[in-house]
Amino acid sequence: MIEAIDLQLVAAVQEGLPIASRPYALIAEQLNLDEAEVISRLAKLKQQGLIKRLGVIVKHRRLGYQSNAMVVFNIPDALVNQMGQQVSQFQFINLCYQRPRHGEHWPYNLFCMIHGKSREKVQQQLSYLIESCALENYAHDILFSRRCFKQRGAVYFPTPVTANK
Amino acid sequence: MDDIDRTIINRLQEGFPICPAPYQRVAETLNISEQELLERLQILLDSGILSRFGPMFHAEHMGGALTLAALKVPEDNYDTIAETINAFPEVAHNYARKHLLNMWFVLATETPVQIQQVITQIETQTKLTVYNMPKIQEYFVGLKLEA
């Protein structure tokens, strides 16, 4: 179970760390803690995996990654874990998950994201992936994004977190 | 954006130190001053190249929940439905994709039970069926994009 102080800490940093010399001291001040405690608690949250990564979150379109494709495959259930791990080894695969199928409209169970600077490049990477992993016999589809309506980091605590939560 | 900005973005996607003067430590490895790093980061954030500087949480470990969901939206009604979907604070991303399932969005909620509640609300408001595709297994999450 996550301690109440840790929840407050998460709420304080979820929108971003202060851009200042002593960012953790500023957070500490806000929460009435001391800097050392903020540092040790954040380090613990990172070690426990609650914080997956601390760093910058880029807007990929602004970096020139305009062609973001969701590539999906219909892999037999018995093979999906093995294929998922294999596919994840490729540098250009940014995310990879097994997700449920939905009848005839959606027979796919392996989902990968490829962020590319052009559709041609993404198509080339996909062909290379299919060839390298011998995926030719499995149905696949590639869904390029057309418009992005909303993109923000997930906010886990939209409401202020109180101490008794 | 120049080479130093690119190096900053690439370096900081890998991680950020948890110590009293973390920017100082990063600046040293980049051979720039702490002040310059802070200024450049602020500009990158203000200009919208960086969306956020901070942690990525493991939603499920936090007690929260995430799911990917899709809708089959009639084209002539697309923008109205997009507005409806985006008005939900639980919607973190929403993309139009070329497929029969043409709207894809991510839901992030504080508890797993809320995912179904939001889906029900979306189905009621849009009169469309939500295809819920929660992750069954995660093989890789290492989104790092070279600047």
Side-chain angles (χ1 to χ4, degrees):
Chain A
M1 207 42 227
I2 307 168
E3 287 177 61
I5 295 177
D6 289 333
L7 283 176
Q8 288 181 295
L9 195 51
V10 167
V13 299
Q14 69 179 353
E15 301 284 357
L17 294 176
I19 309 293
S21 223
R22 304 288 290 262
Y24 303 119
L26 293 177
I27 295 163
E29 205 174 301
Q30 204 184 319
L31 299 177
N32 273 326
L33 299 171
D34 63 42
E35 185 187 22
E37 183 169 5
V38 165
I39 288 174
S40 71
R41 284 183 179 272
L42 282 176
K44 189 191 70 189
L45 292 173
K46 179 127 189 298
Q47 196 199 343
Q48 291 172 339
L50 271 82
I51 294 177
K52 283 200 278 201
R53 193 165 66 91
L54 197 63
V56 299
I57 289 125
V58 302
K59 290 228 163 129
H60 53 262
R61 283 165 185 261
R62 296 293 302 268
L63 278 184
Y65 291 87
Q66 300 289 345
S67 300
N68 104 69
M70 186 170 79
V71 177
V72 290
F73 295 94
N74 179 1
I75 307 285
D77 287 341
L79 288 178
V80 68
N81 282 333
Q82 184 195 328
M83 286 325 305
Q85 279 154 20
Q86 212 171 321
V87 163
S88 302
Q89 303 305 311
F90 290 77
Q91 272 286 307
F92 54 81
I93 297 293
N94 302 123
L95 305 163
C96 183
Y97 297 100
Q98 182 193 358
R99 296 184 184 277
R101 299 183 179 89
H102 277 273
E104 57 176 316
H105 287 313
W106 194 259
Y108 308 110
N109 61 340
L110 187 65
F111 291 55
C112 311
M113 290 298 307
I114 301 178
H115 290 81
K117 292 192 175 176
S118 73
R119 291 195 173 200
E120 293 69 31
K121 179 83 185 167
V122 172
Q123 292 283 7
Q124 279 170 18
Q125 288 169 326
L126 175 58
S127 304
Y128 178 69
L129 180 76
I130 288 173
E131 197 184 324
S132 311
C133 297
L135 291 165
E136 295 89 347
N137 295 328
Y138 306 120
H140 78 273
D141 204 344
I142 178 163
L143 285 75
F144 282 103
S145 64
R146 297 195 295 179
R147 283 185 288 169
C148 169
F149 294 100
K150 192 170 178 181
Q151 191 197 6
R152 65 157 172 80
V155 177
Y156 299 109
F157 301 100
T159 46
V161 175
T162 51
N164 59 5
K165 186 156 181 179
Chain B
M1 198 167 66
D2 61 15
D3 283 349
I4 296 177
D5 289 331
R6 284 178 221 283
T7 313
I8 291 172
I9 293 172
N10 291 337
R11 178 69 53 88
L12 289 184
Q13 282 184 78
E14 285 164 15
F16 187 68
I18 304 177
C19 64
Y23 294 103
Q24 176 61 40
R25 187 181 286 185
V26 172
E28 279 165 18
T29 72
L30 297 171
N31 275 325
I32 57 174
S33 70
E34 181 189 33
Q35 191 54 37
E36 183 176 358
L37 175 62
L38 292 172
E39 282 166 14
R40 282 176 180 269
L41 270 175
Q42 194 60 59
I43 291 168
L44 290 168
L45 281 165
D46 292 344
S47 66
I49 290 171
L50 299 182
S51 70
R52 203 156 55 88
F53 182 81
M56 272 181 69
F57 294 106
H58 197 299
E60 292 88 350
H61 289 184
M62 298 288 304
L66 279 175
T67 197
L68 175 69
L71 286 175
K72 209 185 291 174
V73 182
E75 282 300 334
D76 52 5
N77 212 4
Y78 202 94
D79 287 353
T80 314
I81 299 287
E83 272 173 42
T84 306
I85 299 296
N86 294 344
F88 282 86
E90 295 87 356
V91 173
H93 306 256
N94 185 8
Y95 287 98
R97 294 190 186 278
K98 201 167 164 4
H99 189 271
L100 196 61
L101 294 174
N102 54 1
M103 186 178 289
W104 290 79
F105 51 93
V106 171
L107 295 178
T109 59
E110 286 184 53
T111 61
V113 68
Q114 285 170 309
I115 293 280
Q116 194 48 55
Q117 291 167 354
V118 175
I119 286 176
T120 305
Q121 286 173 30
I122 289 175
E123 290 189 326
T124 308
Q125 288 189 25
T126 62
K127 302 183 175 59
L128 298 169
T129 301
V130 171
Y131 289 71
N132 184 20
M133 304 190 196
K135 81 174 175 200
I136 297 172
Q137 186 71 47
E138 179 177 302
Y139 302 109
F140 183 66
V141 179
L143 188 49
K144 185 187 169 226
L145 299 169
E146 202 166 310

